[in-house]
Each structure stands twice: as C-alpha cells, then as structure tokens.
C-alpha cells in the first residue's frame, strides 16, 4: 500500500521545526530582512537543535537521520522565512555534503564535526560571473606547483551563499586543473579555508529577496592551498558537483513548497479576518477559489519532492524526478506568492508583511541550483530526448 503519511520520527521533527519557526524565527526575521543582517542567533539555535547534522552519521557529529529529514525541516522553516531556510539548505546540502560524499578520512575528521553542529558554515563555489548554468565553462584555474606541493588558484565565483559570515570556515571551489586528451577542461574541486591569503570576499550583494541570507562574490588571486585539499579524485569535480546539485534540487523543492504553503497559511488567516462588503473576504467565492488553487499547488508540489527524496534514499536513479520536483515546486512558490499578494491587497505589497517577503523571495527559486530551463532540459534528457 502506498502511504504518504510521515512516520513518527519525521513527524516529530516536522512539528518541532514548525514550532521553532513560529516562535523563534517569525518574531524577529522581518527586522533582519529590512536591515539585511544575518540572523546569527537563529543559526545558533538551529545548531543546538541539530538541524545542520540531520542527514549525517553520529560519528561526524550528525543526528543520524536522512536527507528527507533535512527536506522536512527546510519546508517548515520556509513556511515562515526563506532566508533562514536557504542558510540551512546551503550549509548542509552544498557546504558539508561534498566533504561527506567525497572527502578523505582526514578531511572529514577536520571539517565535519564543526559543520554538522552549526558551529561553522561551508560554501559551494561553483557559479561564475560569466558562466551561470554552463558549469562546464568554468574559468577559475588551479595549477599544482610541484615545488611546494600546493594548488595555486586564480579566478572569481559569484552568488555564493554562506561565503562571508563570521562562521564561514571554507569554500569548496571548482576549478580547471588541466586539459583532457579530447581538449575538454579537466575540472576538480579544492577546499579553500577562509582567511587564506589571496582569497577575498567582496561586500554582500544588494538583493531583491533572501535579504537575511549571506551572499557574496569571491576572488582568488594566487591563492595557495596544500595539494591534500583536493576534494575527491582529480578531474571528477564536475561530476561531483552535478551529483550534489541533483540532491540539492530536492532540498530547494522542499524549500519552495514551504514558501508556497506559507502563502496559503497567511492568506487563510487574512481572508478570515479582513472584512469587505459587509462580510469576511473568505466568504467571497473569488477569494476562496484563489486560495483553493494555492493549496492545490502546494500539495502537489509536496508530493513531488516526497517522491524524489524516496527514490534518492532507495538508491534509484532520481535525477529526472529531482528536476520535476524542483521545477514544479518553484513554479508553485512563484504563483502562490503572486496570488497571496493579491489576496492581501495593499498590505501584501508591504515588506513588513510575510507575503510581501514571500513575493520577493520566490523568484530566485526558479533560478538558483539550476534554472527552470535547465530543469526542463534534464527532464527531456531523462525521457531519452
């Protein structure tokens, strides 16, 4: 029998994160968003709750859970705020996961205990100013200096989440380390600790949304790190990052569902309390239908990421299903934020309102970790087209 209901452990986690989001995040996040400040106190609390260690084994300081548990936490956080949710998503699925998946025993021992407890954050250095979706077009270069046994890195990365906080301890950088026999670039990934000479973090971007998350451009000017900082096999960097992105798309789908559901939550509450033409607007069929469609989108999108996560955890090929989940959920988030703003009228256009923030946050979900166009490309490839 197919059963989409959560088991006891997952449901307990969902409820606890929901309570945390409502009681600890909701009262303070609007001020962080307005001032564009990073919510360190919230991050510390999430660390104490074990959220940064959800999918990692206990031997590395993790909670011994699974990737689906992380997705549930992301959904519940995003029902209240996406900046906090993407901070967790990027720290776990993009920051710590590459080290867990591909790191040596020494690398795992050095970095994971702090990353899984939230004491430190790691960033994922893939995107560049001139490449965007074309990850294979990476221009950042790393040359191995045989005399010193060091990688010398030069290049620029753009739009990198969690890369400039006081907690950031490293950035995993994809760089061209040579050329294959067929003339294509040999791409590898290298760990660059924060504070390494020549590694510069630019001032934070002025963003439309995710205003309480940390995002920077990064510069590497003859940055030297030990040869042992190579993450995984040389020349396997692109394959590693693509696998990490496949997983991350499920996480972004969960985050998108949270935002879509948050739009439903806020609209139901507002419609019940807002009076127009002599009765609450919840009594007007036009408003009812808008909210009903919003609930439909959130529910269907949730089933999509549940399915993708279950395939991933079962060890099945999940790439196409992750793309489907991400594409559908980001569309749902964008549509729901639009119509939630409509339900709220002028109040929905105010940054102090949750739906005003949702509206600003939703668009990046159709861009980050693979644009909607890339998702359609992956789906088509999965169909053999």
């Amino acid at each position: 029998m197919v059963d989409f209901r959560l088991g006891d452990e997952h449901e307990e986690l969902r409820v606890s994160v929901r309570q945390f989001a409502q009681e600890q995040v909701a009262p303070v996040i609007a001020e962080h968003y307005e001032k564009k400040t990073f919510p360190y106190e919230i991050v510390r609390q999430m660390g104490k709750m074990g959220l940064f260690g959800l999918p990692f084994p206990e031997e590395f300081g993790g909670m011994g859970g699974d990737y689906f548990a992380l997705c549930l936490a992301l959904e519940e956080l995003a029902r209240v705020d996406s900046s906090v949710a993407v901070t967790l998503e990027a720290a776990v699925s993009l920051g710590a996961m590459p080290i867990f998946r591909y790191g040596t025993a020494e690398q795992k021992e050095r970095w994971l205990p702090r990353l899984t407890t939230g004491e430190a954050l790691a960033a994922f250095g893939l995107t560049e100013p001139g490449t965007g979706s074309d990850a294979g077009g990476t221009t950042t270069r790393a040359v191995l200096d045989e005399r010193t046994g060091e990688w010398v890195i030069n290049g620029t990365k753009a739009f990198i989440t969690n890369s400039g906080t006081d907690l950031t301890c490293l950035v995993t950088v994809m760089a061209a380390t040579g050329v294959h026999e067929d003339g294509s670039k040999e791409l590898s990934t290298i760990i660059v600790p924060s504070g390494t000479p020549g590694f510069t973090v630019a001032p934070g971007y002025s963003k439309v949304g995710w205003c309480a998350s940390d995002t920077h451009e990064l510069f590497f000017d003859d940055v030297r790190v030990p040869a042992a900082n190579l993450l995984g096999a040389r020349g396997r960097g692109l394959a590693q990052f693509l696998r990490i992105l496949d997983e991350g798309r499920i996480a972004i789908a969960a985050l998108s569902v949270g935002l879509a559901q948050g739009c439903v939550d806020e609209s139901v509450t507002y419609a019940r309390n807002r009076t127009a033409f002599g009765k609450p607007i919840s009594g007007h069929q036009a408003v009812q239908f808008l909210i009903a469609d919003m609930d439909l989108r959130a529910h269907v999108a949730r089933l999509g990421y549940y399915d993708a996560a279950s395939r991933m955890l079962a060890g099945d090929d999940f790439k196409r299903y992750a793309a489907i989940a991400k594409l559908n959920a980001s569309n749902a988030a964008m549509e729901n934020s639009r119509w939630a703003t409509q339900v709220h009228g002028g109040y929905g256009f105010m940054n102090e309102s949750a739906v005003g923030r949702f509206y600003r946050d939703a668009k990046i979900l159709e861009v980050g970790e693979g644009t909607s166009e890339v998702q359609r490309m992956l789906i088509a490839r999965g169909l053999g087209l």
Side-chain angles (χ1 to χ4, degrees), residues 2-3 12 49 70 77 97 108 140 204 225 259 279 332 336 338 368 379:
V2 176
D3 189 351
E12 289 175 7
M49 292 175 66
L70 170 65
L77 289 171
M97 193 61 72
K108 292 177 183 179
T140 296
V225 297
L259 190 153
K279 62 179 180 181
N336 278 15
R338 176 187 178 191
I379 294 166

Side-chain angles (χ1 to χ4, degrees), residues 23 58 71 116 150 161-162 164 209 211 219 244 253 255 260 273 312 314:
E23 296 180 357
E58 294 179 7
C71 291
T116 58
E150 295 174 314
T161 304
N162 291 343
C211 294
F219 300 99
I244 292 298
L255 191 158
N273 294 308
M312 171 190 161

Side-chain angles (χ1 to χ4, degrees), residues 174-229:
M174 189 165 78
T177 53
V179 180
H180 292 296
E181 291 183 1
D182 63 3
S184 62
K185 293 179 181 178
E186 175 191 85
L187 299 174
S188 306
T189 51
I190 301 170
I191 297 172
V192 179
S194 299
T196 301
F199 173 26
T200 304
V201 179
Y205 291 100
S206 176
K207 297 175 292 185
V208 172
W210 285 359
C211 294
S213 74
D214 179 81
T215 319
H216 299 266
E217 189 171 18
L218 309 178
F219 300 99
F220 303 88
D221 184 11
D222 286 337
V223 172
R224 289 178 172 269
V225 297
N229 281 27

Side-chain angles (χ1 to χ4, degrees), residues 4 257 260-261 293-307 324-325 328-329 332:
F4 292 98
V257 169
Q261 185 63 53
D293 284 344
M294 290 161 57
D295 191 45
L296 181 153
R297 293 187 197 98
H299 178 70
V300 172
R302 180 177 297 109
L303 295 179
Y305 94 72
Y306 276 25
D307 175 64
I324 290 171
N328 186 48

Side-chain angles (χ1 to χ4, degrees), residues 156-371:
T156 305
K157 298 294 179 178
F159 314 129
I160 308 303
T161 304
N162 291 343
S163 57
T165 74
D166 293 343
L167 302 175
T168 303
C169 66
L170 68 89
V171 177
T172 301
V173 178
M174 189 165 78
T177 53
V179 180
H180 292 296
E181 291 183 1
D182 63 3
S184 62
K185 293 179 181 178
E186 175 191 85
L187 299 174
S188 306
T189 51
I190 301 170
I191 297 172
V192 179
S194 299
T196 301
F199 173 26
T200 304
V201 179
Y205 291 100
S206 176
K207 297 175 292 185
V208 172
W210 285 359
C211 294
S213 74
D214 179 81
T215 319
H216 299 266
E217 189 171 18
L218 309 178
F219 300 99
F220 303 88
D221 184 11
D222 286 337
V223 172
R224 289 178 172 269
V225 297
N229 281 27
L230 180 71
L231 182 63
R234 179 169 177 169
R236 294 291 296 167
L238 183 58
Q240 293 170 10
F241 267 150
L242 290 178
R243 164 69 192 211
I244 292 298
L245 285 173
D246 286 338
E247 297 178 1
R249 284 168 184 141
I250 303 175
I252 289 293
L255 191 158
S256 300
V257 169
L259 190 153
Q261 185 63 53
C263 290
V264 177
D265 300 338
E266 295 293 332
S267 296
V268 167
T269 299
Y270 184 81
R272 286 172 174 168
N273 294 308
R274 176 76 163 95
T275 299
F277 304 104
K279 62 179 180 181
I281 63 172
S282 60
H284 296 288
Q285 196 173 66
V287 174
Q288 293 173 358
F289 283 8
L290 283 180
I291 298 175
D293 284 344
M294 290 161 57
D295 191 45
L296 181 153
R297 293 187 197 98
H299 178 70
V300 172
R302 180 177 297 109
L303 295 179
Y305 94 72
Y306 276 25
D307 175 64
S310 69
R311 292 173 186 272
M312 171 190 161
L313 295 176
D316 297 337
D317 183 3
F318 67 93
K319 179 186 287 286
R320 177 163 64 95
Y321 299 95
I324 290 171
K326 200 268 186 182
L327 176 61
N328 186 48
S330 60
N331 286 344
M334 193 70 209
E335 282 294 295
N336 278 15
S337 67
R338 176 187 178 191
W339 292 113
T341 304
Q342 192 73 11
V343 169
H344 282 71
Y347 293 105
F349 197 61
M350 301 296 109
N351 279 330
E352 64 194 52
S353 73
V355 296
R357 298 193 299 275
F358 290 163
Y359 189 72
R360 294 174 63 181
D361 290 339
K363 182 57 193 175
I364 190 60
L365 298 172
E366 296 183 317
V367 177
E369 294 201 32
T371 64

